[in-house]
Amino acid sequence: PVGRLSPGEARFLAACADEFSGGELRLTVEQNVLLPNVDDSKVAALVAKLDSPEFPRLSTNPGNLVRGAVACTGAQFCPIAMSETKLIAEEVLPLLEARLDVPDLVRVHFTGCPNSCAQAQVGDIGLMGAPAKMPNPDGSGKMMATKGFNLLLGGEIGEHPLLGDVATKGIAATPELLADALEEVLVEKFGATRNAAGSGGAAAPAAAAAAAPAAAPAVSASSNAVAGNTWEGHPPSAVLGPFLSKKSSSTLGIASLIF
C-alpha cells in the first residue's frame, strides 16, 4: 500500500511467502507485492489468508483507484518534498471509492515535489507537490498559503508514452479539498459515476472504511489475460485482478489497498 508496510505486515507477507511461494516475494514499481509460483491447488488458501481481517491494508481485490496508486516518500520523511503524499493518499483514495463507482483502473501518482520520484507525469492522474491557497479557517474570508498539489492529466506508459500536462494548479493538500477536485476529474474524464455515498465531502469516514473493494475489470497485461471474474477455470475467489498470470504455475499478486 503506497510503498509502505508496517513490521507486522512485512512479517505476515514473509510468512505467506514461506508457506506458499518458496520464500520468494517480488516488489513492483507500482508498489504492489507479488508471490510467484504458487501451486494452483493452494491459490484459494493463500487468497483466504491474505484477505484476513488482521491486516486490512492488504487486499487481493482492491478498488480501481487504490490498486493503481503510487506515492513517493512525501514530506513526512523527505526534506525536499513540498507536500505529504502517502498519508493523504491513504485517506483520499478510499474516500473517493466510497463516493464513486470507477469502472476501470486509474493510475493516480502522488509526488511531493518536481523531482517526481513517483513519476506523476506518466500517471493517468498525476499530483505534484506545489504551493496552494485555501480559505482561512478563522472565518475571515481571507486566503492563506498552504501545501498543495498541481494536477496533471494525459500521462501514458507503454509503446506510445506521453507526459501529462498540468490541468489544475494549487489544489490545497487537505483530504476534503483534494477529494473534491479528484472526484470532478474522475467523473468528467474517466467515466466514474457518483453513488449513494454522496459527493463534495458528504461521505463520512465510516462509509469509506466500510466500502467494499471494486471488482477488477477485464484486462490484458502483455500475454497474461484476465476476463471478468474468471480465469482459466479458477473460481472468482482465485482471481486477483490484473496481477494473476499463468506460466508453469499460478503467479499471485497482492494489490495495494488504502493508499
Side-chain angles (χ1 to χ4, degrees):
V2 293
R4 178 173 290 174
L5 292 172
S6 69
E9 290 167 341
R11 292 188 180 98
F12 171 70
L13 289 173
C16 290
D18 285 340
E19 183 176 354
F20 294 97
S21 61
E24 183 176 353
L25 280 171
R26 299 177 187 174
L27 305 181
T28 76
V29 294
E30 293 87 6
Q31 296 181 338
N32 295 317
V33 180
L34 303 180
L35 280 75
N37 304 316
V38 177
D39 189 89
D40 288 349
S41 63
K42 297 182 179 180
V43 168
L46 177 53
V47 170
K49 185 168 185 175
L50 291 169
D51 287 334
S52 164
E54 184 179 359
F55 296 100
R57 293 177 71 243
L58 305 177
S59 173
T60 61
N61 188 28
N64 281 327
L65 297 178
V66 168
R67 69 191 179 102
V70 174
C72 74
T73 298
Q76 185 180 17
F77 295 113
C78 178
I80 62 175
M82 302 177 69
S83 301
E84 174 50 27
T85 56
K86 294 183 185 294
L87 296 178
I88 196 167
E90 288 204 81
E91 187 167 355
V92 166
L93 295 183
L95 177 62
L96 286 168
E97 289 188 345
R99 293 184 188 180
L100 302 172
D101 294 319
V102 183
D104 298 301
L105 171 69
V106 179
R107 298 173 299 109
V108 185
H109 289 214
F110 293 76
T111 195
C113 74
N115 285 306
S116 199
C117 293
Q119 302 174 345
Q121 294 93 335
V122 297
D124 296 322
I125 298 174
L127 294 165
M128 182 178 292
K133 292 183 178 181
M134 63 179 291
N136 196 312
D138 64 6
S140 64
K142 296 181 179 180
M143 302 297 287
M144 59 177 283
T146 187
K147 298 178 180 180
F149 291 99
N150 290 340
L151 188 149
L152 293 79
L153 294 173
E156 295 185 15
I157 56 176
E159 293 185 27
H160 306 288
L162 292 174
L163 297 181
D165 296 318
V166 176
T168 305
K169 289 187 175 182
I171 304 170
T174 69
E176 296 80 10
L177 293 176
L178 185 58
D180 289 348
L182 288 174
E183 179 178 338
E184 294 302 319
V185 170
L186 289 164
V187 170
E188 293 177 9
K189 303 291 185 181
F190 296 93
T193 55
R194 294 180 174 92
N195 59 33
S199 61
V219 301
S220 176
S222 64
S223 61
N224 305 318
V226 178
N229 282 329
T230 60
W231 177 81
E232 292 195 15
H234 287 293
S237 62
V239 178
L240 309 177
F243 305 102
L244 189 65
S245 63
K246 182 82 169 180
K247 293 183 181 177
S248 58
S249 59
S250 298
T251 299
L252 177 63
I254 310 167
S256 303
L257 176 63
I258 308 185
F259 336 126

